[in-house]
């Protein structure tokens, strides 16, 4: 029953795919002669024109996606699936009423969509449960997040994960023609992370109930499991900044090492707390112990402690089908919390005795122990270093017994 509009909430209503294709082709053809003229007069402008052309075709892709979505959204099949979703949703939902919402697609183009908004059904005392939220039930069928398409959420989240800051992620997205402010980039990335955590929680619950299906992804493969502890700083609660008075000498003149005043300080600040996340990586290795080319690693982590980490590893091994693997190799440093839980992981993941289990201390930490042992003998550096290099080379070449 919903409809899509372009150029504002009172703009043109999208009726069909040919309508939007005609709109896109008309806009591009109107600019073609200008691009050709500019490139003829200034060939060095190719990079700028290339970006403009790409931007126009990206907008055209958004128009086509919007048209396809509008046609499907008006179909009785989607109406039936929306009603089924509403009836089987995780929380009781009301019938729903039409509401307009602003939607942004992968290319950055904005549309206004009228969709059924189903509020959480109120309880006996006409109050909603804490944390309950309404759902645009028709947009839910496509996987839309909060006012953004799934493609846009994926693109922004990946860029935010690859960049060291949200500001840099925003800058890189802007270079590709996707203009978002820093708050939008942060909100989208955090929204994606929350959704992935909900998915992982759902899979963990399925696994605990014995309902999580196992795939054949690791069948017949040689599998490596790496577990380690990281170190990261978490932002604490905001608090009022405590003003620090400038240091002055006996004459009241500021001393030379007093911090400058050129940068305005925020009125509120926070304390960063160091935490150790528990991390894991599962991948398929070749004869040399290296990750196989064109294969993908499974990476996960948690702040909730070593037991939760062991459960995560066991769940992923089960989900990926490690019970059918050729071998399973655990590679880690010497931390006791890791090795004390390897047997429990193998048992929880239901790895049969036919799968060979290897436990390997990683080379860097093993070499460090060798260096520490040589130092404990009291050897001076001139005598110790040649011995250390020789033993380190043996480790790297797999001659650990010698």
């Amino acid at each position: 029953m919903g409809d899509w509009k372009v150029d504002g909430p009172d703009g043109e209503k999208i009726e069909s795919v040919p309508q939007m294709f005609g709109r896109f082709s008309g806009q591009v053809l109107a600019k073609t002669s200008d691009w050709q003229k500019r490139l003829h007069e200034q060939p060095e402008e190719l990079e700028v024109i290339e970006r403009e052309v790409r931007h126009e075709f990206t907008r055209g892709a958004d128009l086509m996606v919007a048209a396809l979505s509008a046609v499907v959204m008006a179909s009785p099949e989607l109406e039936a699936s929306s009603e089924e979703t509403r009836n089987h949703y995780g929380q009781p939902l009301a019938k729903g009423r039409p509401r307009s919402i602003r939607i942004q697609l992968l290319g950055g183009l904005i549309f206004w969509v009228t969709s059924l908004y189903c509020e959480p059904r109120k309880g006996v005392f006409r109050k909603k449960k804490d944390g309950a939220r309404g759902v645009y039930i028709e947009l839910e069928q496509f996987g839309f997040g909060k006012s953004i398409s799934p493609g846009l959420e994926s693109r922004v989240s990946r860029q935010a994960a690859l960049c060291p800051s949200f500001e840099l992620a925003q800058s890189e997205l802007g270079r590709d023609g996707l203009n978002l402010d820093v708050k939008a980039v942060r909100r989208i990335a955090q929204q994606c992370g929350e959704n992935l955590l909900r998915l992982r929680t759902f899979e963990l619950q399925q696994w605990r109930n014995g309902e999580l299906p196992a795939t054949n992804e690791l069948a017949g493969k040689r599998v490596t499991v790496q577990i380690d502890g990281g170190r990261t700083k978490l932002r604490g609660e905001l608090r009022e900044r405590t003003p620090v008075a400038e240091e002055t000498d006996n004459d009241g003149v500021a001393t030379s090492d007093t911090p400058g005043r050129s940068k305005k300080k925020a009125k509120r600040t926070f304390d960063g707390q160091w935490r150790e996340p528990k991390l894991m990586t599962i991948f398929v290795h070749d004869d040399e112990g290296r990750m196989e080319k064109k294969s993908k690693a499974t990476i996960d982590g948690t702040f909730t402690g070593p037991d939760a980490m062991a459960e995560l590893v066991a769940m992923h091994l089960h989900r990926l089908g490690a019970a059918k693997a050729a071998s399973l190799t655990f590679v880690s440093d010497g931390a006791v919390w890791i090795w004390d839980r390897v047997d429990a992981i193998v048992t929880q993941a239901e790895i049969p005795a036919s799968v060979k289990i290897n436990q390997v201390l990683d080379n860097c930490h093993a070499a460090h122990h060798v260096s520490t042992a040589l130092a404990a003998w009291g050897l001076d550096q001139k005598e110790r270093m040649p011995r250390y290099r020789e033993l380190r080379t043996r480790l790297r070449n797999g001659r650990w017994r010698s």
Side-chain angles (χ1 to χ4, degrees):
M1 61 139 311
D3 57 40
W4 288 61
K5 292 181 180 179
V6 64
D7 295 334
D10 300 321
E12 181 183 2
K13 183 179 178 181
I14 301 177
E15 302 283 358
S16 65
V17 176
Q19 172 198 6
M20 289 296 103
F21 184 78
R23 177 190 175 103
F24 160 63
S25 59
Q27 291 174 344
V28 172
L29 288 174
K31 297 183 178 182
T32 303
S33 58
D34 177 62
W35 289 330
Q36 184 175 344
K37 180 181 178 181
R38 286 166 54 195
L39 190 60
H40 180 75
E41 296 174 350
Q42 296 177 303
E44 66 275 10
E45 287 289 304
L46 176 61
E47 194 267 342
V48 177
I49 295 174
E50 188 176 18
R51 288 184 178 275
E52 293 178 7
V53 172
R54 183 178 181 275
H55 178 64
E56 286 300 320
F57 274 81
T58 301
R59 287 172 56 88
D62 278 359
L63 289 172
M64 293 298 295
V65 170
L68 292 168
S69 301
V71 171
V72 173
M73 202 164 168
S75 65
E77 291 82 5
L78 189 107
E79 183 179 353
S81 63
S82 299
E83 182 63 19
E84 184 178 356
T85 300
R86 188 184 71 84
N87 292 330
H88 296 89
Y89 205 70
Q91 62 187 25
L93 296 175
K95 278 286 187 182
R97 53 190 173 85
R99 181 186 286 187
S100 181
I101 182 175
R102 178 181 178 272
I103 290 293
Q104 192 169 15
L105 299 187
L106 177 59
L109 206 57
I110 294 173
F111 299 86
W112 278 259
V113 182
T114 302
S115 174
L116 275 179
Y117 179 74
C118 300
E119 294 180 337
R121 191 177 296 166
K122 296 179 181 178
V124 178
F125 299 103
R126 310 298 295 168
K127 290 184 179 180
K128 293 187 294 186
K129 291 183 179 180
D130 293 338
R133 63 183 182 88
V135 178
Y136 288 92
I137 202 68
E138 292 166 321
L139 295 177
E140 188 82 3
Q141 309 306 307
F142 298 102
F144 277 89
K146 295 178 181 177
S147 305
I148 56 171
S149 68
L152 178 59
E153 181 179 81
S154 174
R155 182 183 179 190
V156 173
S157 301
R158 286 178 61 85
Q159 192 69 64
L162 292 171
C163 291
S165 69
F166 290 120
E167 288 78 8
L168 188 57
Q170 178 212 19
S171 175
E172 289 300 309
L173 292 168
R175 282 177 55 84
D176 290 336
L178 187 58
N179 297 316
L180 298 168
D181 59 32
V182 176
K183 289 183 179 180
V185 173
R186 180 185 293 108
R187 175 181 60 81
I188 293 171
Q190 290 176 346
Q191 171 184 302
C192 181
E194 290 168 0
N195 289 337
L196 289 173
L197 283 174
R198 277 195 288 267
L199 174 62
R200 192 182 74 177
T201 302
F202 174 74
E203 290 180 337
L204 270 172
Q205 194 58 52
Q206 274 195 315
W207 179 66
R208 291 166 183 165
N209 297 337
E211 300 171 355
L212 183 65
T215 66
N216 293 318
E217 189 172 336
L218 299 181
K221 305 288 187 178
R222 290 165 294 191
V223 183
T224 293
V225 180
Q226 293 180 331
I227 307 174
D228 202 356
R231 194 164 185 255
T232 188
K233 209 170 190 178
L234 296 184
R235 174 174 175 165
E237 295 293 331
L238 284 174
R239 59 173 175 80
E240 295 297 324
R241 181 186 292 275
T242 304
V244 179
E246 290 185 333
E247 296 181 6
T248 58
D249 56 19
N250 295 332
D251 297 327
V253 179
T255 56
S256 59
D257 59 349
T258 297
R261 301 171 179 167
S262 59
K263 186 175 180 181
K264 185 178 179 181
K265 293 185 177 180
K267 293 182 179 180
R268 295 196 298 172
T269 185
F270 61 88
D271 297 317
Q273 297 179 348
W274 287 104
R275 290 282 302 277
E276 184 188 62
K278 309 298 184 184
L279 308 169
M280 55 139 274
T281 304
I282 299 174
F283 62 90
V284 176
H285 67 260
D286 56 18
D287 293 338
E288 302 297 325
R290 303 182 184 276
M291 182 176 172
E292 281 192 355
K293 294 181 178 180
K294 298 183 179 180
S295 64
K296 292 183 179 181
T298 298
I299 303 172
D300 208 342
T302 180
F303 281 106
T304 51
D307 290 332
M309 183 75 263
E311 185 182 33
L312 274 180
V313 175
M315 185 271 289
H316 284 299
L317 288 175
H318 167 79
R319 180 179 61 83
L320 297 171
K324 301 177 184 178
S327 65
L328 193 59
T329 302
F330 290 87
V331 182
S332 293
D333 60 19
V336 176
W337 70 265
I338 298 174
W339 299 111
D340 281 354
R341 289 169 173 81
V342 169
D343 292 340
I345 291 172
V346 172
T347 302
Q348 287 182 326
E350 298 180 348
I351 307 298
S354 58
V355 178
K356 185 179 180 181
I357 307 296
N358 303 307
Q359 299 184 21
V360 178
L361 180 68
D362 73 84
N363 183 73
C364 292
H365 286 84
H368 172 70
H369 287 304
V370 170
S371 176
T372 305
L374 291 173
W377 278 355
L379 302 178
D380 59 22
Q381 186 174 5
K382 188 175 181 180
E383 185 179 0
R384 186 174 75 244
M385 289 309 295
R387 186 80 61 89
Y388 168 69
R389 293 192 186 99
E390 177 193 352
L391 296 176
R392 183 180 63 183
T393 301
R394 292 186 193 178
L395 281 174
R396 287 178 176 174
N397 294 336
R399 298 166 55 199
W400 58 272
R401 291 184 185 277
S402 65

